[in-house]
Amino acid sequence: MSNIEYNFDSIIDRKNTNCLKYDALNQFFGEDNLQPFWVADTDFETPNFIIDKIKERLEHPALGYTFKPDNFFQTITDWQKRQHQWEIENSWISTTPGVVSGIASSILAFTEKQDKIIINTPVYYPFYATIEGLERTILRNPLKLQDNRYQIDIEHFEQLAQEGAKMFVLCNPHNPGGTVWSKKELQAIGDICVRHNIIIVSDEIHSDLILGERKHTPIASISKKISDKTITLMAPSKTFNIAGLATSFVICSNRKIRTTLDRTIYAVHIHGGNLLGNIACEAAYEYGEEWVGKLIDYLASNCELAIQFLKQELPELKIMKPDATYLLWIDFNAYGDEKEMEKRLKEIAKVALNKGSSFGEEGKGYFRFNFGCPREVMIEGLNKIVSAFKN
């Protein structure tokens, strides 16, 4: 598609659009007058090649029941091959409204109440809510901090596997740390899961947003044995800023596992998706490659600028440089306890950030900052933070 636009500096007003990030501030932070850097979506315009396809469909006057055409699945298959050199088949793909609903469906399909599920902590907070909400037991595998990046504690992971874990929910790339796990790490934990008959559910929603030279490796691409134990969850939502269209997909090569999972997805009736979400997903993967390249360049520049600015102005902060995502994981512990820092960020800096303890006890004292926004907006927020902490 021609005329692809790349203006990531354009500032759009998202207030009063029922936008979670802006219009739910009072609900989550107790006041409206905050600059939001919390919810993990971007403040960039959804690409014009997606909007144009949606507008084209809206010229038709009926929005009834829909299904996904063959090309919907083919664009996903082609995208995985181009972006991640991962050869998959259309028949391996199922759909859900979101990655978290895919996690929940997997838990319901393959575990029973009180069964043990491993997670690497700290990690994306819906992992806790979903596992505990379905009355399963969390086994925490705390990540090791080495050379200012997270590493998986393989020995401890093996110990947890021996405790009878039925499932492992992986975040790859990692949220909130932005770590792109090495193939060696993924193979090690994958092989453990194979040996102990543990199903891997891999959240790979940030896989298209690799900022540096590291390469994203879908854990299911490593070997047939690991693939046969893996349910991979992906979506175009983070990459193309279309989370509001609730369109995600599941990739699973093991026919028996896929059939069992599909039975659950169909039973709770979340397989259909929505008409405009289906169109957006198809357009994103068919026309989005060039646009994503420009987006990554912009995000990488934002990331570098934010880190250098904070290091210079607030040298006591410890900042984990992300390999992927548009999220900065910042250790504020040198400035006081988390409650005090949370209060200072809200009441003095007037910014909304995710507090680290919501990602698990290992994240206490950290805050997650979303730099997926126009540079001018990011700089304004960073200046507010610096002013609140400088003295």
Side-chain angles (χ1 to χ4, degrees):
M1 179 174 284
S2 60
N3 301 318
I4 298 175
E5 298 172 4
Y6 306 113
N7 187 9
F8 301 111
D9 287 317
S10 176
I11 297 175
I12 55 175
D13 185 0
R14 301 183 66 189
K15 293 180 180 177
N16 302 314
T17 62
N18 295 324
C19 171
L20 181 66
K21 191 175 190 176
Y22 285 81
D23 296 331
L25 283 166
N26 190 62
Q27 178 183 346
F28 288 93
F29 292 88
E31 61 177 282
D32 293 313
N33 189 29
L34 301 175
Q35 190 173 10
F37 297 96
W38 61 305
V39 174
D41 66 9
T42 66
D43 286 332
F44 306 127
E45 296 178 1
T46 298
N48 63 308
F49 50 86
I50 294 176
I51 298 295
D52 289 347
K53 284 292 185 181
I54 291 174
K55 287 180 177 178
E56 181 182 313
R57 178 59 182 83
L58 290 175
E59 290 177 2
H60 192 283
L63 301 175
Y65 284 119
T66 187
F67 69 94
K68 300 172 184 67
D70 291 342
N71 194 56
F72 174 90
F73 300 98
Q74 190 61 49
T75 55
I76 293 171
T77 298
D78 293 343
W79 183 266
Q80 296 307 317
K81 184 175 181 179
R82 292 197 308 270
Q83 297 296 310
H84 308 302
Q85 294 73 56
W86 187 22
E87 299 271 0
I88 66 171
E89 298 177 12
N90 292 7
S91 62
W92 297 359
I93 303 169
S94 305
T95 56
T96 62
V99 162
V100 176
S101 58
I103 293 171
S105 298
S106 301
I107 292 170
L108 288 170
F110 299 105
T111 67
E112 303 291 338
K113 289 183 179 181
Q114 309 312 320
D115 276 352
K116 298 172 182 178
I117 299 176
I118 303 172
I119 57 175
N120 309 117
T121 55
V123 75
Y124 183 46
Y125 46 85
F127 283 21
Y128 300 92
T130 303
I131 296 169
E132 293 174 338
L134 293 175
E135 300 180 60
R136 273 60 172 175
T137 302
I138 292 176
L139 296 182
R140 296 171 183 257
N141 175 227
L143 297 168
K144 298 187 293 185
L145 189 58
Q146 188 169 336
D147 298 326
N148 200 34
R149 62 179 284 108
Y150 282 134
Q151 293 186 354
I152 298 172
D153 188 335
I154 305 296
E155 291 184 7
H156 182 248
F157 188 94
E158 175 92 63
Q159 292 172 17
L160 295 179
Q162 292 170 354
E163 292 180 21
K166 295 294 179 63
M167 182 173 285
F168 165 47
V169 183
L170 170 66
C171 196
N172 176 37
H174 182 256
N175 175 10
T179 303
V180 171
W181 305 117
S182 69
K183 185 175 181 180
K184 182 178 179 181
E185 286 175 297
L186 293 172
Q187 175 135 25
I189 56 176
D191 287 343
I192 291 170
C193 289
V194 170
R195 287 199 301 272
H196 294 277
N197 196 29
I198 296 170
I199 289 179
I200 303 164
V201 179
S202 186
D203 170 0
E204 304 193 11
I205 197 169
H206 290 282
S207 58
D208 296 326
L209 297 172
I210 309 301
L211 304 181
E213 295 181 358
R214 286 180 175 267
K215 181 183 178 297
H216 173 73
T217 303
I219 189 168
S221 70
I222 293 175
S223 71
K224 186 179 186 305
K225 286 183 178 181
I226 294 174
S227 180
D228 281 344
K229 301 299 295 182
T230 301
I231 298 164
T232 302
L233 306 171
M234 292 179 164
S237 52
K238 303 294 184 184
T239 310
F240 297 95
N241 201 20
I242 53 174
L245 294 176
T247 302
S248 178
F249 54 91
V250 181
I251 302 172
C252 181
S253 63
N254 184 316
R255 183 176 179 180
K256 183 177 179 181
I257 289 178
R258 188 172 66 249
T259 300
T260 302
L261 178 58
D262 281 347
R263 190 178 301 123
T264 298
I265 290 172
Y266 276 71
V268 294
H269 209 73
I270 58 171
H271 60 283
N274 72 81
L275 173 62
L276 300 183
N278 295 344
I279 289 169
C281 181
E282 193 173 335
Y285 290 144
E286 189 163 350
Y287 304 114
E289 192 166 359
E290 183 181 343
W291 186 89
V292 169
K294 299 294 184 181
L295 170 67
I296 288 172
D297 289 344
Y298 192 91
L299 290 174
S301 295
N302 265 10
C303 181
E304 193 64 36
L305 176 61
I307 291 173
Q308 293 306 318
F309 180 78
L310 289 174
K311 279 184 175 179
Q312 179 178 326
E313 299 296 330
L314 298 174
E316 296 299 316
L317 292 179
K318 296 178 182 177
I319 306 165
M320 190 177 296
K321 185 175 182 179
D323 303 318
T325 80
Y326 40 76
L327 306 168
L328 210 56
W329 191 229
I330 308 171
D331 183 352
F332 278 83
N333 279 293
Y335 287 90
D337 65 46
E338 185 179 79
K339 287 185 178 180
E340 182 184 342
M341 297 305 99
E342 184 181 19
K343 183 177 181 181
R344 182 171 289 269
L345 286 165
K346 185 174 78 170
E347 297 181 5
I348 301 177
K350 294 292 183 181
V351 295
L353 275 63
N354 297 95
K355 64 180 180 180
S357 59
S358 65
F359 298 87
E361 59 188 30
E362 298 86 357
K364 192 171 184 179
Y366 285 76
F367 286 84
R368 194 186 73 174
F369 177 87
N370 181 346
F371 58 84
C373 56
R375 197 155 295 143
E376 178 183 337
V377 173
M378 181 189 75
I379 291 171
E380 180 184 355
L382 293 174
N383 275 313
K384 288 179 179 179
I385 293 171
V386 168
S387 295
F389 285 88
K390 190 113 183 189
N391 297 316

